[in-house]
Amino acid sequence: MAIEGVDLMKAAAFIGAGLAMGFGAIGPGVGEGYAAGKACEAIGRNPEEAGLLTRTMLVGQAVSESTGIYSLVIALLLLFVV
Amino acid sequence: MDDLTSIPQFVIRLFGVNLVFNTETIFMTWIVMAALIVFGFLATRKASFMPNPVQQVAELFVKAFYDLTKDALDDRMAKNYFPLVCGLFMFLLFSNWLGVIPKLSEPTKDLNTTLGFGIMGFFIAHYAGIKKKGIKQYLSEYFQPIFFMAPLNVIGEFAKVISISFRLYGNILGGSIIILIVSHLVYGLMLPPFLMCFFGFFVGTIQAFVFTMLTVVYISVQVK
C-alpha cells in the first residue's frame, strides 16, 4: 500500500484538526476559569447579589467561549470538508 | 456517524442558477414559527386581569425584555426596538430547545439561519445609527481616532456579524456532535439524555440570551 498525496493531505488535516482544537481550548479554559474565580470572590464578598453575579458571569463566559468555538468550527471543517 | 455531515437539500434549477434549499432547516423553522404562533395565541386569547398560566409566562418575557432594552437604549427607542428583541430571543430559545425532542433538530444548527439573524442585526443596528445621528456623523465615526483607521473600523463591523453568528452556530452544532458521539459510545444509557438536557436547555438558553444581548449592544453602540 503506497502512501499517496491524498493520504498525506488527509493525515495533515486530521493533525491540524487536533492541534486546532487542543490549542484553541487553552484560551477559553483559562478565561472562563478566571471569570468563575472572580465571580466566586465577588459572591463571597457580597452574597446577596449572587443571582446577578451568576447571570453576568455566565453571559461573560459564553462570550469568551467564542474563540474556542471558532477553533471547533475550524477543526470540523478540517475533518469533514478537506 | 453519517448523519453528522449530511444536509438534506432540495435543488431547483432556475434560469441557469441552482437554488438550494436546506429542507430540514426550513421545515424545523416552520415548526418553531408554528409553536410561537400557538404560544402567542394561547397567551392573548383570553387576556384578563387575572392571567392564565400562559399569559403569565408571556408577561414575564415581555417585562424582562422591556427592562433590558430600556437599560441599553433610551425610553423612546426601547418602545420601537423591544418587539424585535423579544421576538428574536423567543425564536432562538424555541429553536435551541427543539433539539431536545427526538427526530427534530435545531434550525440554528445550520449556519444560514444564524448568519441570517446576524446580518439582520447588522442592518438594523446601522439603520438605527443613521436615523439617530444623520448620515454625516455616521460616516465620520469611521474616521475616528485618525483617518487611516477607516479600513480597520469597517472590518471590525463585519467581524461582529461573523463572531455573533458563528458563536451560536458552533455552540449548537458542537453540542449536537458531542451528544451523537457519546451516544455512539454508550449506546443510549443514562448519559445522552442528560447531555441533551444540558446542551438543549442550559447552553441553548444562554446562547439565545447572549445573541439577543449582543444584538441590543450593537444597536446601542451605533446610536450612542
Side-chain angles (χ1 to χ4, degrees), chain A residues 28-41:
Chain A
V30 173
E32 287 185 25
Y34 192 73
K38 283 288 180 191
C40 279
E41 266 177 36

Side-chain angles (χ1 to χ4, degrees), chain B residues 104-176:
Chain B
L104 299 183
S105 74
E106 304 94 337
T108 38
K109 217 163 78 176
D110 193 331
L111 182 57
N112 298 305
T113 312
T114 57
L115 206 55
F117 280 121
I119 291 169
M120 183 193 80
F122 172 81
F123 277 113
I124 287 171
H126 284 253
Y127 167 76
I130 291 173
K131 202 177 157 198
K132 175 99 182 198
K133 293 184 298 201
I135 186 87
K136 207 168 171 191
Q137 199 186 345
Y138 166 78
L139 285 177
S140 75
E141 297 258 306
Y142 285 101
F143 299 100
Q144 286 306 320
I146 339 169
F147 68 92
F148 63 77
M149 295 290 272
L152 277 182
N153 285 330
V154 173
I155 291 171
E157 286 302 317
F158 285 113
K160 280 179 183 172
V161 179
I162 302 289
S163 85
I164 194 175
S165 46
F166 269 81
R167 180 179 303 126
L168 182 58
Y169 161 72
N171 266 294
I172 304 299
L173 183 76
S176 61

